[in-house]
Amino acid sequence: QKEVEQNSGPLSVPEGAIASLNCTYSDRGSQSFFWYRQYSGKSPELIMSIYSNGDKEDGRFTAQLNKASQYVSLLIRDSQPSDSATYLCAVNMKRPGGSYIPTFGRGTSLIVHP
Amino acid sequence: DVKVTQSSRYLVKRTGEKVFLECVQDMDHENMFWYRQDPGLGLRLIYFSYDVKMKEKGDIPEGYSVSREKKERFSLILESASTNQTSMYLCASSRTGRVNTEAFFGQGTRLTVV
């Protein structure tokens, strides 16, 4: 079965530090990778997408992709208490019928303490 | 902005009842999905649809069915609700393709079966 793996955490970092979240995936043919943030009791919200090897930066967020190692990461610089949430890694994986469907990791809980 | 709207935020149903969860999106997306989310298990795909009247089983379809009569609407049906179907249900939509196909979520429906 095609899978997306994340460390469940919690990952605890002090305010102002860099938080590093990691994800591995099993389908070598995947081409689309996403990070979602989910606050408790809310639905997932897209924060980053990445499609090519290397880094992609958006404000305090940097997504990193290494297709050879089947590895995706998310760095959050200058972490704030408001960043405390569960971060979900999603990979579009090919289903038996040929469609590419988002497959989610179980999420990493991030706690940013003052 | 993409908008995915689920008909109810909270539902309480009795065991054995037939339950309908409705989802509507306004971005003309081809793909629509139903996931359930449980603590420690992450988001699990129940069913998805890639076109009107077309559907495919996800990873946990047992006890559920779906209907997509119009492109913008995707319904999840619990034929005979059971207590193990108590969960958060999340609807999402996306465009067809392998890249640039991030999924957008509705606000979620928390279903309790008593």
Side-chain angles (χ1 to χ4, degrees):
Chain A
Q1 181 155 348
K2 297 180 179 179
E3 293 182 340
V4 178
E5 299 285 346
Q6 293 182 258
N7 188 323
S8 62
L11 173 65
S12 182
V13 301
E15 185 174 355
I18 296 175
S20 177
L21 305 163
N22 305 312
C23 170
T24 59
Y25 60 95
S26 61
D27 183 3
R28 188 170 288 278
S30 298
Q31 295 188 6
S32 307
F33 308 88
F34 309 96
W35 284 99
Y36 289 80
R37 177 176 61 202
Q38 187 176 25
Y39 292 113
S40 180
K42 302 293 186 182
S43 61
E45 168 194 16
L46 180 72
I47 53 172
M48 289 287 287
S49 58
I50 187 166
Y51 309 106
S52 303
N53 279 330
D55 294 0
K56 178 182 178 182
E57 188 174 317
D58 184 0
R60 295 187 295 113
F61 298 98
T62 298
Q64 300 174 316
L65 174 61
N66 183 328
K67 290 183 181 179
S69 299
Q70 296 175 238
Y71 179 90
V72 193
S73 64
L74 179 70
L75 300 178
I76 306 174
R77 290 182 300 281
D78 188 24
S79 295
Q80 300 297 310
S82 59
D83 294 326
S84 299
T86 296
Y87 289 81
L88 303 172
C89 174
V91 180
N92 279 7
M93 291 188 174
K94 192 174 183 179
R95 303 290 296 193
S99 301
Y100 282 82
I101 301 300
T103 299
F104 288 83
R106 297 187 181 187
T108 298
S109 175
L110 173 66
I111 299 171
V112 181
H113 53 86
Chain B
D1 277 355
V2 174
K3 192 166 185 181
V4 181
T5 304
Q6 295 182 229
S7 54
S8 303
R9 187 74 178 91
Y10 299 95
L11 273 180
V12 180
K13 296 291 182 181
R14 295 196 180 277
T15 301
E17 276 194 76
K18 191 169 186 176
V19 181
F20 293 86
L21 303 183
E22 308 284 346
C23 176
V24 177
Q25 52 94 5
D26 66 358
M27 283 301 292
D28 201 35
H29 284 171
E30 294 84 6
N31 299 325
M32 295 188 75
F33 314 93
W34 277 106
Y35 294 89
R36 66 176 281 179
Q37 187 174 32
D38 301 288
L41 297 179
L43 274 81
R44 293 181 292 166
L45 182 66
I46 305 171
Y47 266 97
F48 69 96
S49 169
Y50 50 89
D51 202 350
V52 175
K53 298 189 186 295
M54 306 303 288
K55 61 187 179 185
E56 278 193 34
K57 292 181 180 179
D59 300 317
I60 52 163
E62 296 78 18
Y64 303 95
S65 62
V66 291
S67 173
R68 194 168 181 199
E69 297 296 318
K70 293 185 178 181
K71 191 174 185 179
E72 67 271 19
R73 186 179 298 270
F74 192 36
S75 303
L76 179 70
I77 303 154
L78 286 67
E79 296 291 343
S80 177
S82 64
T83 55
N84 62 14
Q85 292 178 310
T86 292
S87 186
M88 170 71 92
Y89 289 87
L90 290 160
C91 175
S93 71
S94 74
R95 287 184 288 108
T96 293
R98 295 177 72 180
V99 294
N100 297 329
T101 55
E102 59 269 27
F104 296 90
F105 284 86
Q107 77 275 30
T109 296
R110 186 164 293 281
L111 173 67
T112 302
V113 182
V114 298

